[in-house]
Amino acid sequence: MHPLGRRRTSVIAGALAALPLTALGPTVPAHAATTITVAADGSGNYTTVQAALAAAPSGAIIRIKPGTYRGQVSIPAGKTGITLQGTTGTATDVVITGNAPASTAGTAGSATVLNLAKNTTVTGMTIANTYDRHDSQALALYAGGDRQVYRNVRLLGYQDTFLSWGGTGAAQVRQYVYKSYIEGAVDFIYGNGALVVDSTTINSLDRGSGKTGYITAAATHTGNRYGILITRSTLVSPGAARSVALGRCWHAGGAADATGQVLVRDSALGGQILQAGAWQDMGGFSWKTCRFSEYNNRGAGVSGGTTDRPMMSAGTAANYTSQKYLAGNDGWNPVQ
């Protein structure tokens, strides 16, 4: 550019800098998220979480004071960006509880929290399904939206405690669970989502003499590389030694293209984990039709050399990290 051209540019820039902001046109203020407080004792804006959700716009922060809140909490798909936050940060202080079984209410209807919305965060609370018979699904959490984060939560149930579900076909939702506690006995972490359970205690309840427990039941679509990852976690149980399977192969609805993927890595496995039979068949499908593996675990439950516990190589494991599971096409990375 000619030297006069450079001088003219600098003069114009200086003149603009000298103008007040109002002379450059109106500015748009940043809007703080709407904050709503729920308190069972009436000291908040609402006494139930569901009433707060009904009033909340997308992106709202719903702060929940200590107490027990009964009945289903449903976050519809249209309420994106919602945060549910226990006010004390102690998960046992805020309890959302229900006791509906899927046998009468249906899978979604049984869920104590039915979260179908994208970009939601749930922190500092307990979500429980206390249905006391062991002959039916009874979900604590149905996670059906993409980019969901659960941090410092307690998920309590027996059969099918936590479902990550994106619907039929290859559509996939992503969820990240961090520094939490998940409890159940049968298929209690399951579904077809890309789900990472990180730095979490996973407690397999005692099913009694001669009954096997099952932690996962993945139905990952064969077109999706990633399914359920359990990482940096601790697997415990009050039950007998060698009584719990890491998972079984769930071909949802008999679908041949539901070839579940599960990796348990960098975790502490208690003595409750089976040696032979740590991965199990289901519904007439062999566990070998699914993609199950372990990597770099420790503790009494690690493989003693049984041939039916596939080990992932270090080279392959480099591509099966939390970030890889959750990145999708948009590079989402909530990992802590």
Side-chain angles (χ1 to χ4, degrees):
M1 181 184 291
H2 190 277
L4 289 177
R6 285 199 297 271
R7 182 173 183 276
R8 178 174 297 179
T9 301
S10 63
V11 169
I12 292 172
L16 287 174
L19 290 172
L21 289 177
T22 52
L24 297 176
T27 58
V28 179
H31 292 284
T34 299
T35 300
I36 298 171
T37 300
V38 177
D41 63 6
S43 62
N45 303 110
Y46 298 93
T47 58
T48 70
V49 181
Q50 196 60 49
L53 279 164
S58 291
I61 298 170
I62 298 176
R63 301 177 72 251
I64 308 172
K65 289 187 175 183
T68 298
Y69 301 86
R70 302 185 186 281
Q72 186 180 70
V73 169
S74 176
I75 308 176
K79 296 266 179 157
T80 59
I82 293 288
T83 295
L84 296 183
Q85 180 184 90
T87 58
T88 68
T90 300
T92 53
D93 287 349
V94 175
V95 179
I96 301 174
T97 185
N99 64 355
S103 55
T104 58
T107 300
S110 78
T112 300
V113 170
L114 175 63
N115 186 359
L116 302 180
K118 293 181 179 180
N119 299 313
T120 53
T121 300
V122 179
T123 67
M125 67 188 64
T126 296
I127 301 170
N129 191 318
T130 61
Y131 180 66
D132 62 0
R133 292 174 59 191
H134 301 159
D135 58 355
S136 174
Q137 298 171 292
L139 280 66
L141 173 63
Y142 184 134
D146 193 30
R147 296 168 55 119
Q148 295 181 352
V149 173
Y150 299 88
R151 187 172 60 251
N152 184 25
V153 297
R154 298 170 71 241
L155 304 177
L156 311 181
Y158 186 87
Q159 181 172 336
D160 296 5
T161 303
F162 177 16
L163 171 61
S164 171
W165 188 251
T168 57
Q172 196 171 41
V173 292
R174 295 165 291 172
Q175 287 105 23
Y176 179 57
V177 180
Y178 180 67
K179 285 194 174 179
S180 294
Y181 173 91
I182 306 173
E183 179 178 284
V186 178
D187 304 335
F188 62 98
I189 301 172
Y190 77 117
N192 63 7
L195 170 64
V196 173
V197 180
D198 182 3
S199 304
T200 289
T201 297
I202 298 171
N203 182 26
S204 295
L205 298 174
D206 187 0
R207 296 195 71 201
S209 179
K211 292 184 178 180
T212 300
Y214 309 95
I215 297 173
T216 65
T220 321
H221 190 274
T222 191
N224 291 327
R225 184 176 187 178
Y226 301 115
I228 297 172
L229 171 64
I230 295 172
T231 182
R232 303 189 297 189
S233 293
T234 303
L235 280 58
V236 300
S237 177
R242 308 291 185 255
S243 63
V244 175
L246 292 170
R248 53 182 178 172
C249 195
W250 180 36
H251 288 260
D257 59 6
T259 57
Q261 191 277 326
V262 180
L263 169 62
V264 181
R265 66 173 295 169
D266 303 312
S267 294
L269 311 186
Q272 76 278 4
I273 302 301
L274 289 159
Q275 283 293 318
W279 302 105
Q280 301 251 327
D281 303 343
M282 186 178 184
F285 290 93
S286 166
W287 70 269
K288 294 179 181 179
T289 64
C290 286
R291 296 163 283 166
F292 296 149
S293 55
E294 302 171 61
Y295 175 73
N296 196 39
N297 295 312
R298 62 194 182 279
V302 299
S303 175
T306 179
T307 58
D308 62 357
R309 290 182 64 171
M311 296 293 148
M312 184 174 281
S313 70
T316 301
N319 287 312
Y320 281 79
T321 63
S322 299
Q323 290 87 346
K324 297 281 189 180
Y325 272 72
L326 298 173
N329 295 322
D330 57 10
W332 186 50
N333 183 12
V335 178
Q336 295 183 266

